[in-house]
Amino acid sequence: GAKFVHMVYHFARYVMTEDMKKLSVGKLIPFAEAVMRGPEDMYIAKARHRVAYNKLLQILQREDFVIQEYKKKAQ
């Protein structure tokens, strides 16, 4: 349901953040500073967040549909 999708989204975000920490070692902008920087336009940032969240939801729904179809055909 929606709670599961929300949890998966936050887990994916955590994994990306940890990956960014590893990749930013030795760069000009420290990771903590890069994360704390706000985007220039919050409207665009929120719109990108909604698009990514909706895309993840669509992918999970499509995957669930395919699994349900395989189960029907297996019976």
Side-chain angles (χ1 to χ4, degrees), residues 49-64:
H49 174 266
R50 282 192 307 272
V51 168
Y53 187 84
N54 288 335
K55 186 68 175 172
L56 175 64
L57 181 61
Q58 289 173 356
I59 290 168
L60 293 174
Q61 287 174 337
R62 191 176 326 134
E63 182 179 335
D64 183 56

Side-chain angles (χ1 to χ4, degrees), residues 6-63:
H6 188 69
M7 184 206 53
V8 169
Y9 173 76
H10 280 284
F11 176 70
R13 186 174 173 193
Y14 170 77
V15 170
M16 281 183 25
T17 304
E18 291 300 313
D19 192 42
M20 284 174 55
K21 282 182 186 177
K22 290 178 188 174
L23 293 175
S24 69
V25 173
K27 303 292 183 201
L28 295 176
I29 301 172
F31 177 76
E33 182 183 331
V35 169
M36 297 309 289
R37 280 188 182 175
E40 296 293 323
D41 188 358
M42 281 304 291
Y43 176 78
I44 292 174
K46 287 180 181 180
R48 286 180 180 160
H49 174 266
R50 282 192 307 272
V51 168
Y53 187 84
N54 288 335
K55 186 68 175 172
L56 175 64
L57 181 61
Q58 289 173 356
I59 290 168
L60 293 174
Q61 287 174 337
R62 191 176 326 134
E63 182 179 335

